Amino acid sequence: MARKCTPTYTIEFSLNILAWQKHRIEKKFKIVRTVYNSCLGEALKRHKSVKSTKEYHTLLKEPKSKERNHRLSEIRLANGFSEYGLHDFVKLVQHKFKGNIGSLEAQKLATRAFQTV
């Protein structure tokens, strides 16, 4: 069934905040961007190491089976390419910015970086 086209509107309001609040928000955005980019770089590095494994390429050519999938996941885990592997990595990065970003926020950023890769 086709979706009905209804008019939509967007309205933007300027945020009236004090200068110190603006600086604090900008600082937090910069830190979050730094943490996300470091997680993304680490995830890409780990993914590249998984793809460079010869056994991984030979397993991809085999027909799908539970054993094949299990061996592929073992290769990924051996190279640290998992969501929880990135959570361990982000602990070290987040520790530097402990006062500005919480551990749950950092783990969420690591999850998003893993899903992106």
Side-chain angles (χ1 to χ4, degrees):
M1 178 176 231
R3 191 171 169 205
K4 293 182 179 179
C5 291
T6 57
T8 57
Y9 303 97
T10 304
I11 187 166
E12 292 183 14
F13 294 106
S14 61
L15 189 59
N16 295 324
I17 57 175
L18 300 174
W20 67 270
Q21 292 172 327
K22 182 180 177 185
H23 293 301
R24 192 169 185 183
I25 290 172
E26 287 173 352
K27 181 180 179 181
K28 190 162 184 164
F29 280 151
K30 184 179 177 184
I31 290 169
V32 167
R33 186 180 67 243
T34 303
V35 171
Y36 176 75
N37 285 337
S38 65
C39 288
L40 193 59
E42 183 67 21
L44 286 170
K45 186 185 343 175
R46 292 178 184 194
H47 181 66
K48 187 177 179 181
S49 69
V50 168
K51 286 178 69 175
S52 67
T53 308
K54 289 185 180 184
E55 184 183 0
Y56 184 78
H57 285 288
T58 57
L59 286 172
L60 287 178
K61 293 176 184 175
E62 291 181 8
K64 293 183 180 181
S65 67
K66 286 187 178 182
E67 181 190 342
R68 171 191 172 251
N69 292 340
H70 181 69
R71 287 174 35 199
L72 284 172
S73 66
E74 284 178 353
I75 293 171
R76 288 186 196 109
L77 290 176
N79 288 302
F81 184 65
S82 68
E83 184 175 348
Y84 296 111
L86 277 181
H87 285 188
D88 290 337
F89 169 77
V90 81
K91 271 187 211 175
L92 303 172
V93 177
Q94 182 267 335
H95 189 69
K96 295 178 184 176
F97 307 109
K98 190 185 262 185
N100 296 302
I101 184 172
S103 61
L104 293 177
E105 293 169 320
Q107 285 182 353
K108 196 64 158 172
L109 291 170
T111 300
R112 289 184 70 190
F114 179 76
Q115 290 173 347
T116 300
V117 174

